Structures are given as C-alpha cells and as structure tokens.
Amino acid sequence: MIEVCVLGPVEVRAEEAGTPGGYQQQAVLAMLVAAGGRVVPADRIVDQIWGGEPPASATATLQAYISRLRRLLEPDRRPRTAPQILVSEAAGYALRLPPEQVDAWRFERDVTGSPDLPAAEAVAVLGEALALWRGVPYEQFADEPWARPEIARLSELRCAAQERAIAAMLRVGRIAEAVPAAQALADAEPLRGEAWRLLALGLWAAHRSAEALEALRRHREHLADELGLDPEPALARLEQAILSQRGEVLHEAVGAPHLRPAQLPRSASGFSARVAELGALTRLAGESLVVISGAGGVGKTTLAVRWAHAVAGRYPDGQLYADLRGFGPEETPAGPADVLFGFLIALGLPDHRIPPALDERVSLFRSVLAGRRMLLVLDNAADADQVRPLLPGARGCAVVVTSRSVLGGLVVAEGAHTLRLDAFDDEEARNYLRGRLGAARVDAEPAARDEIVARCGGLPLALAVVCARAATRSAFSLTAIAAELTDEEGLDAFTVAGFKHDLRAVFSWSYRQLPAGAAALFRHLALHPGTDVSRAAAISVAGDGARAQLRLLCDAHLLDERSPGRYVYHDLVRSYALELQEPSPDIQRRFVEHYLFTAANADEACFPYRQPRRVPPVPDGIRAETFADEKEAYAWQDAEYDTLLALTEVCGDAYLKIFFWVLCCYQQDVRFHVQDSIALARRALAVAERDGDRWWIGFLQYAIGRAYLRLNQIELSVPPLEAAIAVGRETNDPIRLAHGLLALATGICGVHEVPTREQTIMAYPYAVEALAAYRKMGGTFGRVEEANALHPIAWYHFYRPDGREQARALLQESVDIHVRCANAHGAAASWMHLARFHAVSGDPARAVTAFEEALGLYGDMQDLRIEPLIGLYTAHLAAGDEQAANRARGEAMSLLETARYPDIERLEAILGPRSGGLSPGGFGH
C-alpha cells in the first residue's frame, strides 16, 4: 500500500522501493498533498516551482514529473488506462488517496473529530495522530513561500492536538503522562496560555499545587517580558482556585473526579439482632449527628459499621472512618489534628497543602466537605472535645460517633441524637449463638445454651469469646463449654489464647480513664451485697462527691442507673470491679451503717410508738435516708430487703441485735418474712446470751414467740414467751413483761378465730396484768398497747352473762384509741376483732361493715388485705350475698398468688383449695 508522508521530510512509502524523484518532482507531490485532494491548476504549479520565472520547457517538464509520480503511486496501472490516484482535471492535477494513506490528511481528520470522542478514546486517537509526526512538515520545503502557510497551519493543529490529548489524559486520570506532556508543550510554546493552563491543572491534580502556582507565575513573566501583557482572566481565576484549594474547580476544568474515600472497616460476620437500633440509626442519622453509647464489649462499633455499610450508597462522596482510640491499650487518644490530616489526605489534598494548626485544619476540612454528601464514622471517642473539631461545618454529611461516654457536650451544644446500646436480651443472645455456631448445635442442648446466655449476661464480646472457644473445639458439647464457664470464676472464663482484647482488657480501658475518686467508688460499690445500690448509700461511702462520681460512672457505662437514684453493675463488670479490690473493712462498715440507720428511720416512720428505741446515734459521715411517711418507708424496705438480710451476715455482733430490732416489725407485721425473722432473732439471741445482756435476751425471746404466733404455731410460741415474761419480772422491765403477757394471752385466745370460753378464761389474767402495766406507762405508747390489750379482755367479757355489750364497747374503745393515736394498722386490727364479734353475734351486716373498715385502713398493703377479704367472704356468705362473697374470695385468691402467707391450710379450709396450691402469706395484727 502506498503512503505519502509530509509530516517531516516528504517521502513516499511503498511495498517496492521507489523515490519521489528530485527536488522539483517532490515539490509537485507536496503541493498536491497540501491541496488536500483539491485540483491544483498546472500553471500555478509551474509558477510555484520556478518562482514565477518558468523556462519555455516548463509545461513539458511538469508533465514528465506527473508521469513519473503516477508510475510511483500506481506501479500496477496498465498502459493507456486512466490514472486513479494522481488525476488530471480542469487543466490541473489532484491527488485522490484515502486519508489513511496521507499522514497529514489522516492527522487532520483524527484531530478534527477528537472533541466528539470519549476522553479515553480521544487519548488513544490523538496519541496515534501525534505519532505520525517526524519533524517539521514539508521539511525540505520549509523556506518555500508556497509551503510556509501549510506548515504553520499544521503546526498549529499539532499544538491543538497536543492540548486536546493532555486534557483527555487529565480527564481519565493519566496525570503522570499529562504533566510532562504539558510541560514540554509549555516549554516549546511559552506564550501559549492553554499549555500553561493544562500544565497547572495537571500539577494540581498531581497534588503539586506549589509547582502549579510556579508554572502560572512563569507564564505571567513570559507574557510580560515578551508582549507586555497580563495572562488571560481564566488563568488568574485558576491561580486563585489553586490557592483556595477549591476542588470543584479542578473537577469542572479537567473532569478529574473527587477522590471518593471508602474507609469503613469490614463488617463483622455473624452480626445478630439490633434490628431496632439499625432502624433508629436510619431515622436519626440522615444528615445529622448521632452518638452510640454503651459499655465496653456491647457491640457499638459492630453496629455502627454494619449500618454504615448498609447506607453507604446514600452518600455518593464516600465514607471516612477513624478509630479515635478513646478507650484502648494506647495511653493517649488520637489527636483531632492527626485525624484531620488523615482525612484531608484521603480527600485528595497533598500533605504540603495541609496547614499545621488545628484551627486551620478544621477550616480546610469543612471547606473541602462543603457541598458534599459523605458519611463519617468516628469510632471509640474519648470525649466531646475530641469529636467537635472533626464535625462538618454544614449539613449534608452524616456523622455517627461511638463512645463509652454519652458525650453530653455534643448533645447540649451540637444537638446530637443519642442511641444507647444495651446488652442482648436472652433471645437475641440465643440468636447470636445460632449465627456463630449453627442453630442445630445450639438448640440441641437448650439447657447448656441458656446457661451460657446467663453467664455472658447478654454481652456480645463475652458471647463472641465463648463462640471462639466452642468453634475451636467443635467436638466438645455445649454442656462441656457451659461447665467450663461455671467452673472458672470471674473473668477468667472469657479469655482466648492470642486474643489480647478480652473482657478484662476492655473493662480496664474504661476504668483507666476514671478520675481517682470515681475509680475508688467503682471498686467500693462492688462490695455492696445487693443487686443494685442507691445514691444515698454511695454518698455514705464516698461523701457528697459521690453524686458527680456516679454520673461519671454511668456516663462511662460502668454503672447503669436503671431507675432514678439506683445503680447496678453488669454482672461481668462487677466481676472486674471485685478483681480490683483491696481489703476494705471501712467501706463494708459504711455500707452496714448506712443501711442499718436508714432501716431504723424506716422503722420509726412505720411504727412510731415502739419503746424503748434501741438504736445508737448515727456515726459521722453516714447519710441515712429519711422518709416522709410510712408509704415511702415501706417502699424502701421492700426494695432493700434482700440487701438488709445480706448485711446481717457481715455486720458483726455489735450491730446484729440492732438489725433485728429495726427489721422485726416489718418482717412480722407487714410482709411476713417470718421465718427470716426467727432465724435472725436466734442469731442475735446467741450474741445476747454470750454477752449476758438480759434486756436483749428478753426482747428476742418475746420476738421469737410472737413470730410463732404469726405462723399460727401456738405451741411453739409458748416457751419463748414464758422466757420473755420471766426476764421481764427478773429485770423489773414493765415493757418486756407486758409485751410477753399480752403475746401469751393472744396465743391462748388464738390468732384468727373467735376464742372459746375456756381460752378467754385462761388468757384473761395475762391480759389484765398487761393492761395494768400499759396504763401505768401512759403516753401514746402506753395508749396504743392498752388498745391491743383490750382484745382478749373483750373476748373474756363476751362469754360473761350480759357481757356482750361490754365486749363490744371494749372493742370499739380499742378502735377509738388507735384512731386518736393515728395508728391506722392498729385500728384495722381492732376492726377485725369487732367484725368477728358481730359475725359470731349473728349480725353479718355489721360484720361486713367492720371488715370493710379494716380493709380500707390497710389500703394497698396487699398481704394485710387478705384477712379482711376472707372475713368479708364468710360474712357475705352468712348474709346470703353469694355475688359479693365471690368478689371477696376472688380478690383474696389473687393476692395469695404473690403473698407470703404462713397459714395455707387454714385458708384452704375456708376458701377451698386452688389449682397449684397456695403461696405463703400472712395475717392481720
């Protein structure tokens, strides 16, 4: 195939060697190529070859040149056939070759069509076109007047092709090729503004902003020196954009895409549950700031990363992620300035363009993010001050922060939404195990599975460690794994060889961040024997500073305020706190004293008439709680009862008897923890007998006998009550004597039934002696106990001839005394006796009224309501009102589901047995 090449020295390339001839013959071919296929008149060719002075033989010579060129261009053309390439037309000649066979024509065609091509294709096409050049076009004719215009046109077209090729390379990111090409063009054409513009853009895109600015400066100097002109406005605007690092200008100019960082860590496999939390994040985040807080090991990072991957498509400009190291093995959290440096590099800024000062980096970061939609995950933050510099300045970006702290500063100042992450519930924990170990293996041993769930307390990290141990020993049953967890105490069960970030390490990172006072309180509260601890108890242990320290511990999720003023450890966190303990007898003593003296205040609020008060003064520093009324006191006793019992095991002999004193009425008269009361009294009695303390011996014997009365075990009550009476007589203690006598009289008469005549006769002397003693005491205490002593005396008169009215009057007097003394429960007990009086006297209507009075005085004290309800049931039956009787029976049966009632057999005899039997319970005074 013939090729005519003019982008350098003129030559003809053919399969067979050939030459375009001498200088003039080559000039003829060059003129025809320069005409671009158009007809060139013969006389113009002659004139240009001989410079306007042709010889007489010029026409014949031209024809000879044409003939030789035709043989060169069409060597296979047969004689006397018309030429197809170099043709004669209209007294002239034209070259008829396709553009592929003439380098200048091909070059012009490809360059002219390149703007319509995609950038990547344009780079290839223009590269091939520019490769056709071998030097100066029509090189041997460069000085000929006829050649100079065409040489200039092609050279300009070559510069345009080079500019287009550089621009296309920039658009497809071939920066490393574009920059040297632009540099070469600018050096060759120092006054050509587009070449310098492309060079500056390429250098900027290559993160060489300083060099880009230097290139624009050099161009400005060239123009000033050579032409006395300023650069065109577009170059001035480009210079300002580079100075301001306005990435959108670069994007608009060369089409170079913004770097789209995708820094999210891999989402953990086996992710389970958290459906509600994922939905909450989707609702809250959007273009806002959300703080996910929770204890170490609860899965905050897992949740944030899982959610971020799910919604990444909503943020087309990418995702940034940073571990702020707020809690971890490193001593120092990540500095905001360092984090911003990494973010800015990820966003495409060269390091030398990033300012050193934090404030400047914050401003630059917010400028770069302006107008972008990005997702930022700031993981493991230490505090609000660490996070604040990393926040975008305008809406459009979503930010999710994880921290063991609530980061209240962000909530207050930045309006952050908060999402608290708690441990898994049991079903979520089971699903986690299924996801990691397989449902078949997990559900094949449900008892072991549930034992593992309970041991881990729903903490995802603990579950993950257990799953790792189970996965590495797939031949082991879950029962064996569960047994190992049970055998290993504390946190030792949650370690895996080679895994440094186990529970102990994770908890230590939070503990290490605490101020000294909060750290001490974290350790000390673990000595509290109950399931939760009150703020007041913490203040007794640590002083007024405990309030702020508790807030710090809750903010760090080392404690949880489950209800106002009450704090609880996660079981595994408590295990860690106990590992940190040193011997702390003073702390244990403070717990004992706080609860003892608070219980004393509760006892006084509920039973103000007890005498004598056997509670010593409150020690210094103990902030015992006080109560506005008995309802508050009962609520506290209910909440703290298990803790109080636990403290009696560690309180020591000095406080054991006092503990019994402050608990016995609550145990025996209100909530019927009667067996607990007897056990505690016997322990205290052993101390009193060892010490030879006769007062306490008498009181404790009385309390034990009285407890057996509550159990309706009359025969067991008699020996301790007789012992109490003997101590009272021996020590001349009227209160001990009277209490013992009255309790013995009560036991003789029976607790819940109408006594027989014989019982009242036997009890009467004890009751009369007790009554006389109480009347001598006087005061409110004496009056209240006098009212109680009237009960057996009234029943004695009930059996006397014409004594019923006196019996009724004595019972009514008992009611009135209690009412005047504002003793509601005492009045209710007297109404119960009066109700039984009316019932046995054949007046069920008045019996109903009296039982209802008692019921109203007991209010919402559910255990105490049972006896009045049973009385109402029998009274309504006696009155023939079965509907009302069934209502009373139904309520009584409902209360018995949860009451600690000690006399089930008697109730079954009255109400009839229920399915499942009756729960333990109690009775009225």
Side-chain angles (χ1 to χ4, degrees):
M1 185 183 69
I2 297 296
E3 289 184 76
V4 179
C5 303
V6 299
L7 298 178
V10 176
E11 62 181 45
V12 175
R13 299 174 182 172
E15 293 179 3
E16 295 183 6
T19 173
Y23 181 83
Q24 288 184 325
Q25 184 173 306
Q26 293 177 25
V28 172
L29 180 60
M31 292 177 193
L32 294 176
V33 172
R38 297 182 299 275
V39 175
V40 181
D43 55 356
R44 182 189 301 173
I45 297 174
V46 169
D47 186 62
Q48 289 178 344
I49 288 177
W50 282 280
E53 298 180 1
S57 62
T59 299
T61 301
L62 174 61
Q63 290 175 344
Y65 291 158
I66 294 297
S67 178
R68 293 187 195 115
L69 288 173
R70 282 173 173 166
R71 285 196 300 271
L72 177 65
L73 297 175
E74 294 183 84
D76 297 329
R77 184 170 61 90
R78 300 179 66 179
R80 293 184 293 276
T81 58
Q84 302 296 315
I85 296 177
L86 204 169
V87 298
S88 301
E89 287 185 10
Y93 302 98
L95 198 61
R96 296 284 189 258
L97 282 173
E100 288 79 9
Q101 292 180 248
V102 181
D103 60 355
W105 295 357
R106 175 184 170 188
F107 173 75
E108 185 169 1
R109 179 200 65 184
D110 290 348
V111 172
T112 303
S114 64
D116 298 328
L117 298 176
E121 188 175 344
V123 169
V125 169
L126 289 168
E128 291 179 6
L130 289 166
L132 298 172
W133 285 66
R134 296 170 291 111
V136 177
Y138 304 98
E139 184 174 299
Q140 59 267 54
F141 306 108
D143 294 330
E144 297 288 347
W146 59 264
R148 284 198 293 269
E150 183 64 9
I151 292 172
R153 188 185 72 82
L154 285 173
S155 296
E156 174 60 29
L157 188 60
R158 183 190 187 191
C159 287
Q162 289 172 312
E163 290 169 351
R164 292 179 188 177
I166 293 166
M169 284 189 284
L170 289 173
R171 288 181 180 278
V172 297
R174 292 167 64 172
I175 310 299
E177 300 171 59
V179 169
Q183 184 68 67
L185 181 59
D187 290 342
E189 302 287 341
L191 300 180
R192 194 176 183 90
E194 179 64 9
W196 292 98
R197 188 185 76 86
L198 291 170
L199 175 59
L201 286 170
L203 290 168
W204 188 14
H207 310 312
R208 296 158 63 183
S209 300
E211 295 176 63
L213 294 170
E214 174 62 17
L216 293 175
R217 184 193 63 77
R218 287 165 52 204
H219 174 57
R220 185 166 56 249
E221 290 179 351
H222 283 307
L223 286 177
D225 292 344
E226 298 292 330
L227 304 175
L229 298 175
D230 291 327
E232 55 191 271
L235 293 180
R237 290 194 297 271
L238 174 59
E239 185 176 21
Q240 190 58 47
I242 297 173
L243 286 169
S244 303
Q245 287 297 303
R246 293 172 57 198
E248 71 276 6
V249 174
L250 179 64
H251 175 71
E252 182 180 357
V254 302
H258 290 304
L259 287 178
R260 185 180 184 277
Q263 297 184 332
L264 293 176
R266 180 175 177 269
S267 183
S269 61
F271 186 87
S272 178
R274 304 303 193 200
V275 174
E277 290 84 354
L278 288 168
L281 274 176
T282 301
R283 290 192 304 274
L284 295 174
E287 300 178 358
S288 301
L289 169 61
V290 179
V291 176
I292 304 174
S293 67
V298 81
K300 302 179 293 298
T301 300
T302 301
L303 173 67
V305 170
R306 176 64 173 264
W307 176 82
H309 276 291
V311 302
R314 303 180 186 181
Y315 302 93
D317 295 313
Q319 314 98 44
L320 295 171
Y321 171 88
D323 180 0
L324 301 184
R325 304 197 310 269
F327 301 87
E330 301 85 359
E331 291 294 331
T332 305
D338 294 335
V339 176
L340 285 174
F341 185 88
F343 281 172
L344 290 168
I345 290 293
L347 290 165
L349 274 73
D351 55 1
H352 63 269
R353 292 295 303 155
I354 300 174
L358 174 60
D359 290 347
E360 293 174 319
R361 289 184 182 182
V362 170
S363 298
L364 180 57
F365 178 63
R366 291 175 179 170
S367 298
V368 172
L369 288 191
R372 298 192 185 189
R373 283 187 56 77
M374 297 194 74
L375 174 60
L376 282 72
V377 177
L378 306 177
D379 192 22
N380 195 15
D383 53 39
D385 289 339
Q386 185 190 29
V387 171
R388 197 170 284 113
L390 308 179
L391 300 179
R395 296 182 66 85
C397 297
V399 183
V400 174
V401 183
T402 74
S403 179
R404 300 188 188 188
S405 168
V406 177
L407 303 185
L410 296 183
V411 178
V412 173
E414 274 69 38
H417 301 288
T418 60
L419 179 64
R420 176 192 172 91
L421 204 59
D422 290 318
F424 288 150
D425 63 29
D426 287 352
E427 186 56 31
E428 288 173 330
R430 286 189 283 267
N431 284 335
Y432 183 92
L433 294 176
R434 292 176 183 120
R436 293 290 298 271
L437 300 177
R441 182 181 181 189
V442 169
D443 293 333
E445 300 176 79
R449 174 200 66 199
D450 292 346
E451 188 176 345
I452 292 171
V453 166
R455 182 74 167 88
C456 293
L459 198 64
L461 179 57
L463 289 163
V465 170
V466 173
C467 287
R469 294 177 66 174
T472 57
R473 294 182 294 174
S474 57
F476 281 45
S477 67
L478 282 192
T479 301
I481 300 294
E484 286 184 355
L485 294 178
T486 301
D487 291 342
E488 297 181 71
E489 296 183 357
L491 301 182
D492 289 339
F494 300 97
T495 58
V496 173
F499 180 57
K500 296 180 180 179
H501 297 172
D502 60 15
L503 286 179
R504 188 176 282 109
V506 167
F507 294 156
S508 73
W509 301 337
S510 292
Y511 175 75
R512 203 170 56 214
Q513 302 290 331
L514 296 174
L521 187 61
F522 172 71
R523 298 191 305 271
H524 294 158
L525 293 185
L527 297 173
H528 182 274
T531 56
D532 60 357
V533 60
S534 68
R535 182 186 296 121
I539 292 171
S540 285
V541 167
D544 289 331
R547 292 182 174 87
Q549 293 161 5
L550 287 168
R551 286 193 293 270
L552 283 174
L553 293 173
C554 288
D555 187 59
H557 293 279
L558 290 171
L559 281 181
D560 185 13
E561 190 175 10
R562 292 286 174 85
S563 60
R566 301 196 70 82
Y567 304 87
V568 63
Y569 290 93
H570 186 281
D571 287 347
L572 297 177
V573 175
R574 185 189 185 105
S575 294
Y576 175 70
L578 290 172
E579 288 184 355
L580 302 174
Q581 295 300 324
E582 297 176 356
S584 303
D586 181 64
I587 300 304
Q588 190 173 75
R589 176 186 58 77
R590 284 178 171 272
F591 274 128
V592 167
E593 290 174 346
H594 172 82
Y595 281 92
L596 174 62
F597 290 99
T598 301
N601 290 340
D603 177 69
E604 187 165 3
C606 299
F607 307 99
Y609 310 120
R610 295 183 69 193
Q611 288 188 11
R613 288 286 160 185
R614 305 295 294 187
V615 180
V618 180
D620 291 340
I622 300 301
R623 307 293 179 83
E625 299 170 65
T626 59
F627 306 96
D629 53 36
E630 64 179 24
K631 185 174 183 180
E632 279 188 11
Y634 286 138
W636 182 88
Q637 290 168 317
D638 291 341
E640 301 288 7
Y641 180 72
D642 289 339
T643 299
L644 290 165
L645 270 194
L647 288 171
T648 67
E649 300 292 335
V650 297
C651 66
D653 292 350
Y655 281 139
L656 183 61
K657 295 175 291 187
I658 309 300
F659 257 114
F660 179 78
W661 169 268
V662 301
L663 288 177
C664 67
C665 290
Y666 171 81
Q667 290 177 318
Q668 295 187 14
D669 297 346
V670 179
R671 295 297 187 232
F672 306 131
H673 298 283
V674 183
Q675 295 291 357
D676 290 345
S677 186
I678 293 173
L680 181 57
R682 293 199 181 281
R683 289 171 51 210
L685 180 61
V687 173
E689 288 175 338
R690 186 197 65 203
D691 296 341
D693 191 328
R694 302 298 289 165
W695 187 93
W696 276 106
I697 292 172
F699 168 71
L700 292 165
Q701 291 283 22
Y702 157 73
I704 293 169
R706 190 172 184 271
Y708 282 121
L709 291 181
R710 289 297 182 192
L711 295 172
N712 207 23
Q713 296 177 3
I714 308 301
E715 69 285 354
L716 294 179
S717 72
V718 173
L721 290 177
E722 289 180 338
I725 293 170
V727 171
R729 295 191 190 281
E730 173 190 336
T731 59
N732 198 27
D733 183 341
I735 296 178
R736 295 278 64 77
L737 177 60
H739 280 358
L741 292 168
L742 179 56
L744 191 56
T746 301
I748 293 170
C749 286
V751 179
H752 302 293
E753 298 82 13
V754 174
T756 65
R757 180 192 302 272
E758 290 74 16
Q759 288 172 324
T760 62
I761 293 172
M762 187 182 301
Y764 183 71
Y766 300 112
V768 169
E769 187 177 357
L771 178 64
Y774 288 135
R775 284 178 171 169
K776 287 181 181 179
M777 294 175 200
T780 303
F781 169 75
R783 293 290 289 162
V784 166
E785 296 300 343
E786 174 188 344
N788 295 330
L790 291 176
H791 300 158
I793 294 173
W795 285 114
Y796 171 81
H797 285 286
F798 177 81
Y799 289 106
R800 299 296 94 200
D802 301 322
R804 290 199 176 185
E805 180 57 31
Q806 185 175 359
R808 187 204 61 77
L810 289 172
L811 293 175
Q812 186 63 56
E813 180 182 357
S814 174
V815 171
D816 295 341
I817 291 172
H818 284 302
V819 170
R820 286 195 298 271
C821 294
N823 184 14
H825 287 188
S830 295
W831 275 114
M832 291 292 292
H833 282 277
L834 194 55
R836 295 190 185 102
F837 169 85
H838 290 308
V840 76
S841 299
D843 193 345
R846 296 180 75 178
V848 166
T849 300
F851 280 128
E852 288 177 341
E853 289 284 352
L855 196 64
L857 289 169
Y858 284 136
D860 60 357
M861 305 291 286
Q862 295 189 1
D863 293 353
L864 298 178
R865 290 175 63 85
I866 294 173
E867 282 298 334
L869 286 169
I870 291 173
L872 278 174
Y873 167 67
T874 57
H876 283 308
L877 282 180
D881 191 345
E882 291 189 11
Q883 187 174 5
N886 287 333
R887 285 198 302 270
R889 181 182 185 277
E891 184 178 351
M893 298 286 276
S894 176
L895 293 178
L896 285 169
E897 295 289 344
T898 56
R900 295 180 182 82
Y901 214 86
D903 199 6
I904 299 301
E905 293 79 6
R906 179 178 63 86
L907 297 184
E908 287 184 339
I910 299 172
L911 298 176
R914 299 178 300 116
S915 175
L918 294 171
S919 301
F923 67 96
H925 191 284

